């Protein structure tokens, strides 16, 4: 059985997500209405990680993936500090899709700088799935810190 996952951070990169969850199959870009993409979740390494926060005037763009239901426990372990919950996202054609999304359990009050390699995974996914140019520009413009990390 398959489920849908709405990725908005580094997991938008198909290569990165498939390295974690082999069953991941991208279905395309989608948006979560009433939310904004921010880096306000502190990772285990102390750097900023992507999160979605309620915002009445914005829509958060990401990528919908199909995952094998048996793979959720593994993805839950990768998504430390996030809670998985249900959401409804809208594909480019307006189709409503029921999906799962990870939201930070303890987001910070303001933005936290991600490592450059993390931003690069987010940017690669945004470009790969042709997210709107304003989203690509926003990710490209994140203030980052240099760091060694997962490729």
């Amino acid at each position: 059985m398959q489920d849908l996952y709405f990725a908005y951070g580094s997991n938008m990169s198909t290569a990165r997500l498939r390295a974690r969850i082999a069953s991941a199959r991208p279905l395309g870009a989608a948006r979560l209405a009433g939310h904004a993409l921010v880096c306000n979740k502190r990772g285990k390494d102390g750097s900023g990680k992507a999160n979605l926060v309620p915002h009445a005037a914005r829509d958060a763009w990401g990528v919908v993936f199909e995952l094998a239901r048996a793979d959720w426990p593994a993805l839950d372990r990768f998504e430390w500090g996030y809670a998985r919950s249900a959401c409804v996202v809208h594909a480019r054609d307006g189709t409503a899709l029921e999906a799962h999304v990870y939201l930070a359990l303890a987001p910070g009050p303001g933005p936290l700088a991600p490592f450059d390699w993390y931003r690069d995974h987010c940017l690669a996914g945004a470009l790969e799935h042709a997210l709107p140019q304003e989203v690509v520009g926003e990710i490209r413009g994140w203030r980052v810190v240099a760091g060694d990390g997962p490729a």
Side-chain angles (χ1 to χ4, degrees), residues 6 30-37 52-62 87-91 96-97 101 103:
F6 180 65
R31 63 181 174 77
L32 179 60
H35 286 77
L37 175 64
L52 298 180
V53 296
H55 192 295
R58 306 259 324 253
D59 291 342
W61 282 86
C87 69
V88 175
V89 297
H90 292 87
L97 302 169
V101 65
L103 301 173

Side-chain angles (χ1 to χ4, degrees), residues 9-21:
S10 66
N11 283 345
M12 290 190 296
S13 164
T14 302
R16 178 154 171 91
L17 183 58
R18 293 212 58 200
R20 295 173 163 186
I21 305 297

Side-chain angles (χ1 to χ4, degrees), residues 101-122:
V101 65
Y102 288 92
L103 301 173
L105 289 169
L112 299 167
F115 282 125
D116 49 3
W117 58 262
Y118 179 85
R119 186 264 331 264
D120 293 347
H121 281 301
C122 296

Side-chain angles (χ1 to χ4, degrees), residues 32-119:
L32 179 60
H35 286 77
L37 175 64
V38 296
C39 280
N40 71 343
K41 191 254 183 203
R42 186 173 305 279
K44 288 180 183 178
D45 58 15
S47 71
K49 305 297 184 204
N51 186 32
L52 298 180
V53 296
H55 192 295
R58 306 259 324 253
D59 291 342
W61 282 86
V63 180
V64 174
F65 287 88
E66 191 173 61
L67 303 180
R69 186 165 287 167
D71 285 338
W72 285 109
L75 189 55
D76 289 345
R77 285 189 296 278
F78 279 109
E79 297 303 319
W80 172 88
Y82 291 93
R84 179 166 40 106
S85 61
C87 69
V88 175
V89 297
H90 292 87
R92 287 190 193 274
D93 67 2
T95 302
L97 302 169
E98 292 184 21
H100 294 270
V101 65
Y102 288 92
L103 301 173
L105 289 169
L112 299 167
F115 282 125
D116 49 3
W117 58 262
Y118 179 85
R119 186 264 331 264

